[in-house]
Amino acid sequence: MSDRFDRYVSIEDVMERAFGGDIEWAEAIAGVAEAAGGRLSIIGSILNPGIVIVAGAGAAAGPLLFERLTRFL
């Protein structure tokens, strides 16, 4: 998707478009969430942490991220 732009696309750009109704960008966030959830579940199986903290700019994606992420944990 960054080929549509002549500049770097930040997570803030992605979230703005996704929350603005652009399905392709929302699906990009969902894809990241699924991949991260799958990896975190493997780490969780090995390390068995009591809590997993998701932070940073991407965490502001809220439900677009966490609904899919938690499906795979």
Side-chain angles (χ1 to χ4, degrees):
M1 284 178 267
S2 63
D3 58 332
R4 292 192 211 171
F5 300 95
D6 294 334
R7 62 181 178 82
Y8 170 79
V9 179
S10 69
I11 187 63
E12 290 83 6
D13 294 330
V14 173
M15 289 188 302
E16 179 182 332
R17 287 168 177 79
F19 283 116
D22 190 318
I23 299 300
E24 190 174 10
W25 291 94
E27 288 176 356
I29 292 173
V32 169
E34 289 177 13
R39 281 17 170 232
L40 286 171
S41 68
I42 293 169
I43 292 169
S45 295
I46 295 168
L47 301 176
N48 196 22
I51 188 170
V52 174
I53 298 172
V54 178
L64 290 176
L65 178 74
F66 293 112
E67 286 178 10
R68 294 263 179 119
L69 181 71
T70 55
R71 284 188 208 169
F72 291 89
L73 290 177

